[in-house]
Amino acid sequence: MKRIALSILALTVLVAACGGGSKIADLTPVPNSEILKKAPDWFTEVPQDPDYLYAAATATSTDMQLAINKAQTEGRNQLAQQMEVKFNGLQKRFQEEVGVGDGSEYLDQFTLAYKSVVSTVLHGSRIGKQDLQQERQIWRSYVLMEMPIGVAN
């Protein structure tokens, strides 16, 4: 009887040990007030300078370097959009009435779609400021990308 109780206890411990460690990190946490309070000032109020373009971006990852790279890529995309963007829009409206008199049915459908394409060379773009924060199992990277224009270029 003791052996059966010990076997059940051992099996329970083994099952509990195998199933507990597989928690998946949420890479898109909902920004709460604590996270927003920790954001650097330059992220919420992007600097202005006639000789530079600035773009602030953030990204998350379980890998610190990947979080930096993702934020840097988003920042460069924002810089490129400030320089040049090809923007297309499409609107469609479909109206149809089926039936006669009181038995008729009116259908109205409206669709709106936008597409923006950015393709430009960014000479001298770099991280001007960077802040790394750990949120449980993930890293959040804030970057301020800067690119010289005008006299600075």
Side-chain angles (χ1 to χ4, degrees):
M1 193 65 163
K2 267 186 167 179
R3 281 188 161 172
I4 294 173
L6 285 174
S7 296
I8 292 174
L9 179 63
L11 183 61
T12 304
V13 169
L14 181 65
V15 169
C18 290
S22 62
K23 220 174 195 185
I24 297 173
D26 181 10
L27 293 178
T28 56
V30 177
N32 58 32
S33 59
E34 278 304 308
I35 292 173
L36 294 176
K37 285 179 189 175
K38 293 179 183 178
D41 291 338
W42 48 261
F43 180 76
T44 54
E45 295 179 28
V46 179
Q48 301 291 320
D49 187 323
D51 294 328
Y52 284 86
L53 289 178
Y54 292 101
T58 185
T60 58
S61 177
T62 55
D63 180 75
M64 181 178 64
Q65 185 61 51
L66 185 56
I68 295 168
N69 292 351
K70 287 166 64 175
Q72 191 175 6
T73 300
E74 175 58 27
R76 283 202 167 109
N77 181 50
Q78 290 180 27
L79 285 175
Q81 285 183 357
Q82 290 179 51
M83 295 179 61
E84 175 184 322
V85 65
K86 182 178 179 183
F87 193 80
N88 292 321
L90 172 68
Q91 292 183 6
K92 292 190 309 186
R93 184 168 187 183
F94 176 75
Q95 296 175 317
E96 179 180 31
E97 187 172 10
V98 179
V100 180
D102 291 341
S104 69
E105 189 175 323
Y106 180 72
L107 303 172
D108 191 2
Q109 179 181 348
F110 180 77
T111 304
L112 179 63
Y114 294 110
K115 178 175 107 174
S116 66
V117 178
V118 177
S119 178
T120 188
V121 178
L122 301 176
H123 295 284
S125 67
R126 64 177 184 218
I127 295 178
K129 293 183 181 181
Q130 177 178 310
D131 186 17
L132 280 170
Q133 298 176 9
Q134 194 165 13
E135 301 168 6
R136 294 182 209 93
Q137 304 140 323
I138 64 169
W139 289 95
R140 178 176 294 275
S141 173
Y142 294 94
V143 296
L144 179 67
M145 298 299 296
E146 63 182 24
M147 188 177 84
I149 58 172
V151 176
N153 196 14

